[in-house]
């Protein structure tokens, strides 16, 4: 009942203000219809904020923010607290948006580890700012999304990393056996605000919307108790940042299309596929100049190169060097996978095998959902065997003392003499795990619910 009551209150919060304004017009002797007709004569691009504040758009934004979850911003408000806050404060927020007076709060700095080493800095907006950003995003998407390049796949509805990899694979299959692999250095941290706003201004004339977007860009960052100004970049962590990044790089897409290149871009990861190394070097040189001089961004020279598709990685995948290229998991992605499995299966006193498998499955199911897209099932089967061997090592280490090991081996059906020898052996767990494979076969781990990477869900 409480949830239904809150929903009804939100409906009122999102709609009653407009009716109140209409009554206010009547008290002043102003015909609401005249005001409405006058408003309708405004160019659509000059009244986008009204679209942001539409009840239907707001309800959709609230659903999305709640579904995405995430940690609180600097004010400590949680996603669960947002609906109640909106019931009490939406009228004021709406007025600030429509008058251009809404002021975003600084984002909270959070650092996460990057898959290839180092850290990535995220800027977590407050929940109320995330809600407003999401509402703005839904309006701006209708303007920009239809005109984005077909070769752009990142952060777009109905498009995915898998589709991007498939497109790249098709270019290689067509005979483009060289790739210009371009990596932009700290892209999200280096976006030029003035240049971005100039791009947005080509389609958005609503000064309130332009001011709000710039406000989000320059809201500042709270780090170690101090607020630092934001002079460049689009902080990762808010709903609006991905669209703004695509608006910036749409200029790169347009130039690549103009030159007739076959390319695939996913966010700041861009690959151009050509027929020869010479063509690749020429493209690399010209695009580096374009990115540096026109877009005012930097190419990461240590990660960018011209090479064979089977030597480079794209979104965690690579391709075999055969005439009919197959998708395979890139070497770095495989190593990161093994590092995570090693962390989970290290000696853990007091943790049961069932608990370890539960934690493994949580990771394996997500990993499988993405990398199961590869076309090399033998690799997945080898990983299955390696994971099972890691679990046998874990069991062996947890048994610890010789007598306990001997009893455990006897329970598994190991012949008594062998059980005595293995139980008192000084050999390492990895060597012993090979022998244990005969007594702890794949079926044993399947019975415990261990996820298999080579089996479709």
């Amino acid at each position: 009942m409480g949830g239904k009551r809150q929903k009804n209150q939100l409906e009122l919060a999102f709609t009653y203000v407009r009716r109140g304004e209409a009554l206010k017009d009547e008290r002043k002797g102003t015909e609401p219809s005249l005001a409405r007709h006058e408003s309708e004569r405004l160019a659509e691009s000059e009244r986008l904020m009204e679209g942001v504040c539409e009840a239907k758009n707001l309800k959709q934004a609230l659903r999305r923010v709640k579904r995405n979850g995430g940690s609180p911003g600097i004010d400590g408000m949680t996603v669960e607290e947002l609906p109640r806050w909106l019931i009490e404060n939406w009228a004021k927020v709406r007025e600030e948006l429509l008058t251009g007076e809404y002021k975003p709060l600084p984002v909270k700095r959070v650092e996460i580890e990057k898959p290839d080493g180092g850290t990535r800095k995220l800027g977590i907006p407050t929940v109320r700012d995330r809600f407003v950003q999401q509402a703005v995003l839904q309006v701006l998407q209708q303007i920009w999304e239809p005109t984005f390049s077909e070769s752009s796949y990142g952060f777009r509805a109905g498009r995915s990393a898998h589709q991007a990899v498939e497109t790249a694979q098709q270019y290689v299959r067509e005979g483009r056996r060289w790739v210009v692999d371009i990596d932009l250095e700290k892209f999200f941290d280096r976006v030029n605000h003035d240049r971005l706003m100039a791009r947005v201004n080509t389609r958005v004339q609503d000064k309130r919307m332009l001011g709000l977007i710039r406000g989000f860009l320059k809201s500042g960052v709270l780090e170690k108790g101090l607020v630092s100004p934001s002079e460049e970049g689009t902080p990762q962590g808010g709903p609006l940042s991905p669209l703004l990044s695509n608006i910036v790089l749409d200029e790169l897409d347009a130039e690549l299309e103009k030159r007739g290149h076959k390319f695939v871009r996913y966010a700041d990861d861009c690959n151009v596929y050509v027929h020869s190394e010479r063509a690749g070097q020429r493209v690399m040189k010209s695009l580096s100049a374009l990115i540096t001089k026109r877009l005012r961004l930097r190419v990461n020279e240590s990660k960018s190169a011209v090479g064979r598709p089977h030597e480079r990685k794209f979104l965690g995948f690579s391709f075999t060097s055969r005439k009919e290229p197959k998708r395979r998991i890139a070497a770095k992605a495989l190593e990161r996978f093994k590092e995570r499995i090693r962390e989970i299966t290290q000696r853990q006193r007091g943790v049961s095998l069932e608990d370890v498998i539960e934690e493994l499955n949580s990771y394996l199911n997500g990993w499988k959902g993405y990398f199961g897209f590869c076309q090399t099932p033998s690799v997945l089967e080898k990983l299955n065997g390696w994971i099972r061997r890691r679990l046998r090592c874990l069991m062996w280490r947890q048994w610890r003392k010789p007598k306990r090991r001997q009893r455990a081996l006897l329970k598994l059906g190991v012949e008594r003499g062998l059980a005595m020898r293995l139980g008192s052996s000084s050999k390492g767990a990895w060597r012993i795990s090979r022998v244990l494979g005969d007594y702890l076969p794949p079926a044993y781990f399947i019975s415990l619910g261990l996820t298999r990477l080579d089996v479709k869900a």
Side-chain angles (χ1 to χ4, degrees):
M1 290 293 292
K4 186 175 182 180
R5 188 183 301 114
Q6 189 178 71
K7 182 177 180 181
N8 291 337
Q9 289 174 322
L10 274 170
E11 293 276 355
L12 289 172
F14 287 158
T15 57
Y16 87 95
V17 178
R18 181 172 300 159
R19 290 200 295 271
E21 287 180 344
L23 290 172
K24 186 165 43 176
D25 288 339
E26 287 181 342
R27 285 195 295 272
K28 289 181 178 179
T30 304
E31 285 288 337
S33 58
L34 292 176
R36 186 163 58 249
H37 292 321
E38 178 66 23
S39 176
E40 287 173 355
R41 283 198 292 268
L42 291 173
E44 192 66 27
S45 63
E46 293 180 346
R47 55 193 301 271
L48 293 177
M49 198 61 76
E50 281 74 12
V52 169
C53 295
E54 283 287 339
K56 181 179 179 181
N57 186 58
L58 296 171
K59 285 185 280 188
Q60 182 182 347
L62 181 58
R63 285 195 300 271
R64 183 60 62 87
V65 170
K66 289 172 68 176
R67 185 164 66 244
N68 289 343
S71 60
I74 65 170
D75 62 354
M77 186 195 302
T78 66
V79 171
E80 291 75 22
E81 295 170 329
L82 177 61
R84 170 58 58 188
W85 187 89
L86 288 172
I87 290 170
E88 298 172 356
N89 296 277
W90 172 245
K92 181 175 183 294
V93 172
R94 181 179 186 273
E95 181 180 357
E96 290 176 348
L97 289 171
L98 292 177
T99 57
E101 297 176 354
Y102 184 87
K103 301 296 182 185
L105 293 173
V107 299
K108 181 171 70 175
R109 171 69 74 218
V110 176
E111 293 189 1
I112 61 172
E113 291 185 5
K114 295 171 66 174
D116 54 353
T119 59
R120 175 179 285 114
K121 292 185 177 182
L122 299 184
I124 307 300
T126 62
V127 172
R128 72 178 179 100
D129 283 341
R130 295 211 292 269
F131 169 70
V132 173
Q133 281 195 35
Q134 183 63 41
V136 170
L137 169 67
Q138 290 164 185
V139 170
L140 293 182
Q141 277 181 327
Q142 298 175 39
I143 298 172
W144 290 92
E145 178 62 32
T147 64
F148 280 146
S149 169
E150 287 297 311
S151 297
S152 168
Y153 290 87
F155 311 126
R156 299 181 62 189
R159 290 176 163 251
S160 67
H162 285 172
Q163 291 174 334
V165 173
E166 273 190 311
T167 301
Q169 183 181 14
Q170 180 58 33
Y171 290 149
V172 177
R173 187 181 293 122
E174 291 171 357
R176 294 176 174 83
R177 297 303 175 105
W178 290 87
V179 59
V180 183
D181 186 354
I182 301 172
D183 183 271
L184 300 180
E185 184 177 340
K186 297 183 178 179
F187 167 71
F188 288 93
D189 297 332
R190 298 192 185 282
V191 169
N192 183 279
H193 289 173
D194 291 336
R195 184 162 187 79
L196 168 57
M197 292 307 303
R199 293 282 295 173
V200 175
N201 197 27
T202 60
R203 300 187 193 181
V204 175
Q205 276 72 55
D206 189 326
K207 292 182 180 179
R208 299 164 300 176
M209 178 73 86
L210 293 170
L212 180 60
I213 295 172
R214 189 176 281 278
F216 280 124
L217 291 173
K218 292 189 172 297
S219 61
V221 178
L222 178 65
E223 190 172 16
K224 297 179 181 178
L226 299 175
V227 176
S228 304
S230 304
E231 301 299 336
E232 61 180 0
T234 60
Q236 296 181 76
L240 197 54
S241 181
L243 175 66
L244 296 179
S245 70
N246 273 334
I247 291 174
V248 170
L249 293 175
D250 187 54
E251 189 173 358
L252 173 62
D253 297 341
E255 188 63 32
L256 289 168
E257 289 177 343
K258 179 181 175 182
R259 299 180 185 185
H261 291 308
K262 300 295 183 181
F263 71 99
V264 185
R265 184 178 65 78
Y266 192 96
D268 55 340
D269 200 345
C270 184
N271 279 7
V272 183
Y273 293 86
V274 296
H275 288 285
S276 68
E277 182 180 16
R278 183 177 179 182
Q281 296 294 351
R282 184 173 63 249
V283 170
M284 176 65 83
K285 183 178 180 180
S286 63
L287 289 184
S288 294
L290 168 72
I291 290 167
T292 303
K293 295 177 181 178
R294 191 190 299 184
L295 300 184
R296 301 183 189 177
L297 298 168
R298 295 182 188 176
V299 174
N300 189 329
E301 295 184 2
S302 65
K303 294 184 177 180
S304 302
V306 176
R308 296 286 193 178
H310 65 270
E311 298 170 340
R312 308 297 299 173
K313 65 180 178 68
F314 181 57
L315 302 178
F317 291 93
S318 183
F319 304 107
T320 61
S321 57
R322 303 170 187 168
K323 185 176 182 181
E324 182 62 29
K326 300 291 184 183
R327 297 185 298 271
R328 66 182 181 186
I329 305 167
K332 283 189 177 181
L334 283 174
E335 186 51 42
R336 287 196 299 270
F337 171 82
K338 288 190 172 184
E339 285 176 7
R340 181 64 183 128
I341 299 301
R342 289 187 187 102
E343 289 175 6
I344 297 173
T345 57
Q346 284 174 351
R347 185 186 310 190
Q348 300 181 45
R349 297 181 183 178
V351 179
S352 69
L353 180 64
E354 289 76 11
D355 288 341
V356 173
I357 288 179
E358 183 179 352
E359 185 178 356
L360 270 177
N361 285 346
S362 177
Y363 175 71
L364 293 176
N365 287 326
W367 190 90
K368 175 183 175 180
Y370 186 75
F371 287 104
F373 186 61
C374 74
Q375 295 173 312
T376 51
S378 61
V379 173
L380 298 179
E381 179 52 42
K382 287 180 181 177
L383 289 175
N384 283 332
W386 181 78
I387 293 168
R388 290 192 294 266
R389 195 167 176 187
R390 290 286 308 176
L391 288 172
R392 294 184 192 109
C393 287
L394 172 66
M395 294 170 70
W396 186 253
R397 287 193 296 265
Q398 287 188 336
W399 292 337
R400 297 174 60 203
K401 295 183 179 181
K403 286 188 177 181
R404 187 179 176 188
R405 287 174 173 174
Q406 290 165 0
R407 287 196 298 269
L409 292 171
L410 290 171
K411 265 184 151 183
L412 292 174
V414 180
E415 186 269 331
R416 186 172 184 82
L418 179 59
M420 296 301 108
R421 290 196 301 274
L422 289 176
S424 57
S425 173
S426 61
K427 293 178 180 177
W430 188 251
R431 293 185 64 181
I432 296 293
S433 67
R434 183 185 296 276
V435 180
L436 291 179
D438 294 333
Y439 304 95
L440 293 169
Y444 173 78
F445 295 103
I446 291 173
S447 72
L448 294 176
L450 179 65
T451 293
R452 287 182 59 186
L453 299 176
D454 60 330
V455 176
K456 299 291 184 182

